[in-house]
């Protein structure tokens, strides 16, 4: 299966990616996770990306496209992949479409997690992430068994630096201005599967898998 997952910040892309990986066992390529991983290792790329991310702005395309190109051309993507958080503006979509044309990468569907913006502040400020295995939790909607500790690996849970009300505002502005047009672009090409992401995690998961079974 070859998929792109899109949606507003906090729509549930990471959470649904965990479910998709359990089923399809393909590489989960999240540009946000890749930048955070670089930052944790204090690489030049990570330190450059940090300023943009903390403000809720997009990281420059030159850096992002390079990173994705290197990852998508690895052999493990030939049989399937899940792109989370990319492409997110017109230039990235153009790069991706060129890549589809020039290689036999292929794309099956674009999963669009459609959510009302007023749901997002609570999801974002209550999110906790495992430092080690990156599992996603929520203090109210998806709590770990022991506070602050990951169920999967025992790692420490942390809050992202951009999970503040102020950064979220800027992330939503970037999403509306730059990413919504990309979703419309894929919609016109017939790739988009709509998933109502306002519901419980269980219901969104169920609807998402149903939408993938439908023949479009
Ligand atoms: P990125 O890491 O991609 O962040 P984002 O797009 O803002 O999305 P999030 O990861 O915040 O949300 P999500 O949809 O994954 O939600 P989650 O499942 O965690 O990007 C971060 C930054 O990196 C960008 O701002 C930019 O600076 C940079 N960047 C990344 N990609 C880039 C690119 N291509 N180009 C340029 N810059 C780029 O869920 C959120 C919370 O809600 C969790 O706590 C979860 O448990 C809970 N939850 C999930 N679903 C539900 C539900 N149905 N009901 C209740 N709670 C739920
Ligand atoms: Mg995410
Ligand atoms: Zn963990």
């Amino acid at each position: 299966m070859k998929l792109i997952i899109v949606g507003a910040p906090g729509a549930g892309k990471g959470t649904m990616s965990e479910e998709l990986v359990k089923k399809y066992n393909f590489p989960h390529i999240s540009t946000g996770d890749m930048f955070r991983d670089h930052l944790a290792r204090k690489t030049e790329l990570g330190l450059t990306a940090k300023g943009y991310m903390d403000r809720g702005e997009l990281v420059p395309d030159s850096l992002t496209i390079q990173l994705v190109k290197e990852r998508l051309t690895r052999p493990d993507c030939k049989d399937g992949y899940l792109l989370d958080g990319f492409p997110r503006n017109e230039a990235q979509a153009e790069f991706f479409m060129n890549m589809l044309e020039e290689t036999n990468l292929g794309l099956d569907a674009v999963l669009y997690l459609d959510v009302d913006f007023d749901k997002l502040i609570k999801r974002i400020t209550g999110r906790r992430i495992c430092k080690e295995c990156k599992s996603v939790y929520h203090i109210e909607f998806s709590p770990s068994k022991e506070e602050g500790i990951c169920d999967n690996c025992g790692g420490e849970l942390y809050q992202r630096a951009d999970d503040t009300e102020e950064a979220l505002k800027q992330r939503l502005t970037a999403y509306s201005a730059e990413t919504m047009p990309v979703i419309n672009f894929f919609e016109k090409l017939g790739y988009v599967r709509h998933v109502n992401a306002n519901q419980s995690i269980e219901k969104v998961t169920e609807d998402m898998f149903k939408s993938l079974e439908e023949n479009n």
Side-chain angles (χ1 to χ4, degrees):
M1 187 65 89
K2 296 172 172 178
L3 298 175
I4 292 175
I5 190 163
V6 292
K13 301 181 294 295
T15 305
M16 288 305 121
S17 292
E18 288 179 13
E19 299 300 325
L20 290 161
V21 166
K22 273 187 225 159
K23 175 155 180 184
Y24 297 114
N25 190 30
F26 47 14
H28 172 217
I29 304 170
S30 154
T31 40
D33 284 353
M34 287 161 93
F35 288 132
R36 281 184 289 277
D37 178 56
H38 271 271
L39 181 60
R41 291 185 283 120
K42 297 200 167 58
T43 68
E44 201 183 319
L45 173 63
L47 295 168
T48 307
K50 179 180 164 49
Y52 296 96
M53 294 174 82
D54 287 356
R55 289 191 298 275
E57 296 165 11
L58 295 189
V59 176
D61 291 332
S62 54
L63 303 177
T64 311
I65 287 174
Q66 228 9 69
L67 192 72
V68 172
K69 191 174 184 179
E70 191 280 320
R71 184 65 192 86
L72 271 181
T73 46
R74 286 194 217 163
D76 64 343
C77 292
K78 282 217 175 78
D79 299 327
Y81 63 83
L82 171 60
L83 258 184
D84 164 357
F86 187 96
R88 213 165 167 118
N89 64 18
E90 210 177 309
Q92 295 177 14
E94 218 167 274
F95 156 79
F96 183 78
M97 294 315 288
N98 282 336
M99 196 165 168
L100 277 191
E101 234 168 75
E102 288 163 11
T103 66
N104 53 1
L105 183 70
L107 174 68
D108 292 309
V110 175
L111 282 169
Y112 170 35
L113 301 181
D114 191 358
V115 69
D116 297 337
F117 282 9
D118 60 11
K119 287 257 188 301
L120 300 177
I121 187 69
K122 211 170 170 187
R123 288 196 191 177
I124 287 292
T125 54
R127 169 165 54 192
R128 299 292 183 271
I129 297 167
C130 175
K131 269 193 178 152
E132 306 303 325
C133 73
K134 321 292 178 226
S135 292
V136 183
Y137 297 89
H138 190 282
I139 50 171
E140 186 180 334
F141 305 130
S142 180
S144 58
K145 290 195 184 87
E146 199 180 328
E147 200 187 311
I149 308 284
C150 176
D151 293 348
N152 294 336
C153 77
E156 188 190 329
L157 304 187
Y158 82 104
Q159 266 188 290
R160 269 168 51 176
D162 60 344
D163 278 353
T164 61
E165 259 192 87
E166 204 189 329
L168 176 62
K169 257 190 219 151
Q170 183 53 45
R171 285 156 69 193
L172 287 173
T173 303
Y175 172 75
S176 299
E178 307 198 48
T179 311
M180 286 300 293
V182 172
I183 300 173
N184 292 331
F185 167 78
F186 282 119
E187 179 99 69
K188 287 194 189 109
L189 294 176
Y191 283 112
V192 173
R193 312 286 171 108
H194 287 253
V195 180
N196 175 3
N198 292 305
Q199 317 170 88
S200 69
I201 294 176
E202 292 69 28
K203 190 75 176 68
V204 178
T205 308
E206 192 188 317
D207 284 7
M208 175 181 71
F209 282 118
K210 263 192 208 150
S211 83
L212 282 176
E213 281 161 17
E214 284 161 13
N215 290 318
N216 270 26

